[in-house]
Amino acid sequence: DKILAEMAKAGDMEKQYKDLIAKADNSFAQKEYTSARTSYSNASSLKATEQYPKTKIAEIDKLLSEGNKQKELDAKYQAAITKGDNAFSAKDYSTAKAGYIEASGIKSNEAYPKTKIAEIDKMLTDMANQKSASEKEQQYKDAIVKGDKFFTSKEYENSKAAYNEALSIKPAE
């Protein structure tokens, strides 16, 4: 009787082990790693010499660790994008560009931060060109006013020099 009881117990343990492995494999296939890990751990405690559940537990631990690292990267990326977007909305383009550069460094394959950096660079170039054009316009007007003053006071040499200065700024005038 004792031998039969031991055999029955061993058969039950084998069935439990197989059921736990099947449940764990199913959970693993569904990417329910926490549940799979629990089932593999229970199976391993039933049959401590079996390598399969130990291997799967190590695989799950690695996947969960990588998943946590990815979540951290995602959070850092999103924080950098938010920094860039908020600064962009506030027209603080240097801070916005820094945020987008940071985001691009975290996830180099993402197009959004690269697009925003290019947009900022174009805006800054356009702004610099507008400033340069308005400065040129002011220099031209100043030279004309100076030439007119000299002309009115009959200082023709100085007047000619001022008008030549204006021509050098705007040759088509």
Side-chain angles (χ1 to χ4, degrees):
D1 279 337
K2 189 173 184 181
I3 294 174
L4 289 174
E6 289 291 323
M7 288 175 64
K9 184 177 175 185
D12 285 346
M13 189 168 62
E14 183 66 27
K15 183 182 180 332
Q16 284 180 331
Y17 175 81
K18 286 181 179 179
D19 287 347
L20 284 169
I21 292 296
K23 180 181 176 185
D25 286 345
N26 186 45
S27 294
F28 187 86
Q30 300 296 318
K31 297 184 180 183
E32 296 169 359
Y33 299 124
T34 305
S35 175
R37 190 182 192 295
T38 300
S39 294
Y40 285 128
S41 181
N42 290 340
S44 186
S45 64
L46 282 177
K47 285 185 146 187
T49 58
E50 290 292 325
Q51 190 57 43
Y52 179 74
K54 293 175 186 170
T55 301
K56 294 304 276 187
I57 289 170
E59 187 177 342
I60 289 169
D61 288 345
K62 183 179 178 189
L63 287 169
L64 291 175
S65 174
E66 288 171 359
N68 287 337
K69 287 178 187 172
Q70 187 60 47
K71 284 180 186 175
E72 287 175 25
L73 282 178
D74 290 346
K76 286 180 182 178
Y77 174 80
Q78 192 53 53
I81 290 294
T82 300
K83 173 184 167 184
D85 287 346
N86 289 343
F88 188 88
S89 295
K91 298 183 184 339
D92 180 358
Y93 299 119
S94 63
T95 302
K97 186 174 179 178
Y100 296 131
I101 289 170
E102 181 183 344
S104 190
I106 295 167
K107 290 188 175 185
S108 60
N109 292 335
E110 292 291 328
Y112 180 74
K114 292 174 185 163
T115 301
K116 294 304 279 187
I117 291 167
E119 184 180 342
I120 290 169
D121 287 345
K122 184 181 181 328
M123 289 173 66
L124 293 176
T125 299
D126 291 349
M127 286 168 46
N129 289 341
Q130 283 178 338
K131 183 177 179 182
S132 176
S134 74
E135 286 174 354
K136 260 185 165 178
E137 184 63 30
Q138 188 58 49
Q139 289 171 343
Y140 173 78
K141 286 178 182 177
D142 291 347
I144 293 294
V145 168
K146 188 165 58 171
D148 289 347
K149 280 184 183 178
F150 285 130
F151 188 81
T152 303
S153 62
K154 298 182 183 188
E155 296 179 43
Y156 301 118
E157 284 298 317
N158 289 335
S159 177
K160 183 179 175 184
Y163 290 137
N164 280 330
E165 181 185 341
L167 273 174
S168 72
I169 296 168
K170 284 187 164 184
E173 292 295 319

